[in-house]
């Protein structure tokens, strides 16, 4: 009887968000790793994505009633849940649960925190083994959730090596520019970025799914007198994103709530100076290759940090930065996940 591992790609129903790219990139490499190990992998996908990886791959499609019950044959030995808050949990296979972050602890009010902690605890209770995407997330998990001494591994995300066409976007700054990307939400802390534009001619490009938080960013830009140089451009293609990475003066990422921060590694792979918030997992990921903004995000101090960082970066060996970024490999991540699956096959 053939034995199968199922990788859950349910979150790919939402494009242009981090979990979409996590599932896509990891699935690509899990498929390759499965072929090399002569193991059987199936993908749990929305109906619209059946066949996305080709007809030679086996698929299990999501149904609304799966929130109540997921029928599984005895051939399915391992089920890898890729989203810690998933409502799709089968009974029977061994469960591997990837936990990306506990961001709700930093974004939500007390009642919602308790609600999400309860949901996460429920899913952890069903898991046989847990993976976190950073040491920071692991420590957060151990602090707030009873893991019952279940095995916990840290497997870093890979760097999205873009092989497609780098496409010039419609919104091209007329001056040197700073670039940032992410869903336009308060946890991303984008509203502090206009402070970096005072007393210089830089423009600021922020890409990502828009929300009402955009107003707060633009209010900050107006108060600094730089609103004409702040551009919130919405979602962009992969080709456009890598054009901005390639051409920006610096990549700025002041997030207050991250599990890993994939854009940081992507920007590093383009050998760009990186300026990060000193909070959550970002120092763990950026290490000595990034510059860190003032803890209180004071404009005058941050502008001085930006100025000195750009000068310092010109003297540094950015090849070492790129090599560090490329060390975050989806191939390495897929192999580490398969080592875990193998224990239960």
């Amino acid at each position: 009887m053939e034995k199968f591992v199922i990788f859950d790609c349910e979150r790919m129903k939402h494009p242009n968000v981090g979990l979409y790219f996590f599932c896509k990139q990891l699935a690509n490499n899990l498929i390759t790793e499965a072929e090399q190990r002569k193991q059987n992998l199936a993908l749990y996908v929305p109906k619209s994505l059946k066949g996305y990886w080709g007809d030679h791959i086996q698929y299990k499609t999501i149904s609304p009633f799966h929130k109540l019950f997921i029928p599984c044959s005895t051939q399915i030995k391992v089920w890898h849940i890729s989203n810690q808050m998933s409502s799709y949990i089968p009974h029977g296979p061994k469960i591997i649960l990837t936990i990306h972050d506990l961001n709700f602890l930093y974004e939500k009010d007390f009642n919602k925190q308790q609600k999400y902690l309860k949901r996460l605890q429920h899913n952890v209770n069903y898991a046989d083994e847990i993976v976190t995407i950073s040491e920071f997330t692991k420590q957060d998990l151990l602090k707030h959730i009873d893991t019952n001494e279940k095995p916990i591994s840290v497997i870093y995300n890979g760097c999205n090596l873009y092989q497609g066409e780098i496409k010039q976007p419609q919104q091209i700054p007329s001056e040197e520019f700073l670039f940032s990307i992410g869903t336009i939400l308060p946890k991303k802390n984008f509203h502090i970025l206009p402070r970096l534009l005072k007393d210089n001619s830089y423009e600021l490009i922020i890409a990502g799914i828009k929300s009402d938080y955009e107003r707060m960013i633009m209010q900050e830009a107006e108060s600094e007198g730089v609103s004409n140089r702040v551009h919130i451009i919405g979602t962009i293609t992969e080709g456009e994103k890598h054009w901005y990475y390639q051409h920006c003066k610096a990549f700025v990422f002041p997030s207050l709530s991250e599990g890993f921060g994939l854009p940081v590694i992507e920007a590093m792979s383009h050998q760009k100076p990186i300026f990060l918030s000193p909070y959550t997992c970002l120092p763990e990921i950026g290490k000595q290759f990034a510059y860190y903004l003032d803890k209180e995000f004071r404009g005058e101090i941050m502008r001085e940090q930006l100025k000195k960082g750009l000068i310092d970066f010109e003297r540094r060996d950015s090849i070492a930065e790129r090599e560090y970024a490329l060390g975050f490999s989806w191939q390495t991540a897929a192999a580490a996940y398969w080592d875990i699956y193998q224990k239960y096959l």
Side-chain angles (χ1 to χ4, degrees):
M1 182 177 71
E2 290 185 316
K3 300 174 182 178
F4 277 86
V5 172
I6 287 193
F7 177 56
D8 164 18
C9 297
E10 180 260 335
R11 288 286 95 183
M12 286 185 71
K13 66 185 179 185
H14 298 300
N16 298 311
V17 297
L19 282 172
Y20 174 92
F21 293 106
F22 172 83
C23 292
K24 178 183 175 181
Q25 294 292 343
L26 186 54
N28 289 344
N29 287 272
L30 288 175
I31 290 167
T32 302
E33 193 70 21
E35 291 169 351
Q36 291 174 351
R37 296 182 185 227
K38 295 182 170 44
Q39 297 287 355
N40 298 306
L41 176 73
L43 301 174
Y44 184 58
V45 297
K47 289 181 181 178
S48 62
L49 290 179
K50 186 176 182 180
Y52 181 83
W53 284 273
D55 295 334
H56 65 293
I57 301 297
Q58 297 206 44
Y59 300 90
K60 187 176 181 67
T61 55
I62 298 164
S63 171
F65 77 79
H66 285 178
K67 289 185 178 181
L68 300 174
F69 175 72
I70 302 178
C72 288
S73 74
T74 54
Q75 290 177 292
I76 300 172
K77 300 299 182 184
V78 176
W79 188 292
H80 178 182
I81 298 174
S82 61
N83 166 30
Q84 70 254 24
M85 294 297 183
S86 178
S87 299
Y88 300 90
I89 302 178
H91 298 273
K94 295 294 185 180
I95 301 296
I96 312 302
L97 177 66
T98 294
I99 297 177
H100 298 266
D101 57 66
L102 276 70
N103 284 350
F104 56 84
L105 294 173
Y106 310 98
E107 315 166 18
K108 307 295 184 183
D109 61 36
F110 178 78
N111 289 336
K112 287 188 176 179
Q113 287 178 24
Q114 298 309 302
K115 175 184 174 182
Y116 285 120
L117 282 171
K118 183 177 180 181
R119 177 69 169 274
L120 180 56
Q121 183 68 66
H122 172 270
N123 288 4
V124 166
N125 290 345
Y126 274 104
D128 293 280
E129 190 148 344
I130 298 164
V131 175
T132 65
I133 64 171
S134 66
E135 185 64 35
F136 177 86
T137 297
K138 177 180 176 180
Q139 295 307 318
D140 244 3
L141 180 72
L142 291 170
K143 183 177 177 181
H144 297 281
I145 294 292
D146 178 10
T147 61
N148 197 25
E149 298 185 350
K150 293 178 181 182
I152 304 175
S153 303
V154 175
I155 300 177
Y156 289 120
N157 291 344
C159 177
N160 291 342
L161 277 179
Y162 181 64
Q163 305 293 338
E165 178 187 1
I166 293 183
K167 184 179 178 183
Q168 182 172 293
Q170 290 185 339
Q171 181 80 50
I172 300 175
S174 56
E175 302 285 347
E176 291 184 313
F177 67 97
L178 311 178
F179 178 54
S180 196
I181 188 168
T183 305
I184 311 300
L185 292 173
K187 69 179 183 179
K188 297 296 184 181
N189 201 32
F190 288 138
H191 71 279
I192 66 98
L193 292 178
R195 300 171 196 173
L196 291 170
L197 306 188
K198 198 170 181 180
D199 302 324
N200 58 55
S201 60
Y202 295 138
E203 295 187 41
L204 171 64
I205 299 285
I206 303 175
I209 298 170
K210 292 188 174 187
S211 75
D212 291 342
Y213 175 55
E214 180 180 354
R215 288 201 296 270
M216 184 174 177
I217 300 169
M218 294 311 300
Q219 285 171 0
E220 183 74 23
E222 288 171 15
S223 71
E224 295 289 347
V226 299
S227 57
N228 62 319
R229 291 189 279 129
V230 174
H231 312 286
I232 303 172
I233 62 174
T235 58
I236 55 177
T237 66
E238 280 290 289
E240 291 168 333
K241 177 176 72 172
H242 285 273
W243 188 95
Y244 284 122
Y245 283 141
Q246 198 173 75
H247 291 86
C248 69
K249 184 69 173 175
F251 180 73
V252 287
F253 200 66
S255 180
L256 300 174
S257 185
E258 290 295 321
F260 179 78
L262 195 52
V264 175
I265 297 301
E266 290 181 333
M268 277 189 182
S269 73
H270 284 274
Q271 296 173 251
K272 290 296 178 177
I274 313 294
F275 293 83
L276 305 178
S277 152
Y279 296 106
T280 69
C281 70
L282 293 178
E284 177 185 348
I285 303 304
K287 287 191 164 59
Q288 74 272 23
F289 300 100
Y291 302 97
Y292 296 95
L293 298 171
D294 174 51
K295 289 183 177 181
E296 297 178 23
F297 304 110
R298 290 166 290 188
E300 186 176 351
I301 295 175
M302 289 196 299
R303 288 191 295 275
E304 188 64 21
Q305 289 172 324
L306 176 66
K307 181 180 177 180
K308 288 182 177 178
L310 291 174
I311 293 170
D312 179 69
F313 187 79
E314 292 299 319
R315 297 195 289 254
R316 273 172 39 178
D317 177 12
S318 62
I319 295 175
E321 175 186 354
R322 176 174 167 79
E323 289 176 350
Y324 169 74
L326 297 181
F328 290 88
S329 159
W330 285 110
Q331 182 181 356
T332 300
Y337 276 108
W338 266 107
D339 287 344
I340 294 174
Y341 304 160
Q342 206 80 48
K343 292 192 290 186
Y344 302 102
L345 294 175

